[in-house]
Amino acid sequence: MAITLDLSHVPLALSRFDGEQSLDEVEQYIDRMSEIHARRQPYVSIVWMRRYARGAAHTERMGRWIKDTEESARRYCMGVAMISQSTGFRFALAAIFLIRPMPCPYLVCGTWSEAIAYARAQAGKSGVVLPELASPWPELA
């Protein structure tokens, strides 16, 4: 599967995009993320964008999802740390945010260490303690 979502460490959600995701896989990801929104409790996300689809339909769908979940994300998402070493990803991200800006704080970084430090800091602002966790992705430098 080109997208994985691990909700076993909530309030920390871990996502990995690795491959050319189909629109069906994007829809499945959105459906799974609805589980964390339905909890109506603070959470923080770390998303590793290893490889991803760059199509206009993918960008439009993710932009629409951000819009659809804007109120919930603004209320409950303490922050999102996106890991990527790709300038192409930053371009795709800029395109998505032109359609719909992120409703929560975010950071684009290059390592797990940066991402988990940001996630802990954002969670700490709301008094939420994240579980101790090493990188779930051994191949991530």
Side-chain angles (χ1 to χ4, degrees):
M1 186 127 196
I3 306 173
T4 59
L5 175 59
D6 180 355
L7 298 177
S8 66
H9 305 285
V10 171
L12 178 61
L14 301 169
S15 304
R16 178 174 126 166
F17 288 67
D18 189 4
E20 289 294 318
Q21 302 84 31
S22 68
L23 285 174
D24 186 54
E25 287 174 311
V26 170
E27 290 299 332
Q28 289 174 32
Y29 174 75
I30 288 170
D31 287 346
R32 292 265 342 270
M33 279 299 292
S34 69
E35 295 173 32
I36 203 160
H37 286 267
R39 293 176 69 245
R40 298 186 182 275
Q41 296 178 6
Y43 72 94
V44 65
S45 273
I46 296 178
V47 181
W48 182 22
M49 301 300 291
R50 186 173 186 190
R51 290 180 295 154
Y52 52 90
R54 297 182 183 117
H58 293 80
T59 300
E60 186 276 332
R61 181 60 184 110
M62 291 302 281
R64 201 164 17 101
W65 175 58
I66 292 169
K67 179 183 178 185
D68 292 346
T69 60
E70 183 174 5
E71 181 181 330
S72 177
R74 184 174 284 116
R75 179 173 285 159
Y76 301 112
C77 184
M78 298 174 286
V80 177
M82 291 172 260
I83 304 169
S84 177
Q85 293 88 14
S86 167
T87 55
F89 168 73
R90 290 183 181 95
F91 178 79
L93 185 64
I96 290 170
F97 292 164
L98 282 175
I99 295 169
R100 179 57 65 178
M102 281 289 279
C104 60
Y106 71 94
L107 171 74
V108 178
C109 58
T111 67
W112 169 262
S113 297
E114 292 171 291
I116 195 67
Y118 176 78
R120 287 190 189 293
Q122 289 303 113
K125 290 177 183 178
S126 296
V128 174
V129 178
L130 298 182
E132 289 298 321
L133 186 65
S135 174
W137 307 298
E139 67 276 29
L140 178 60

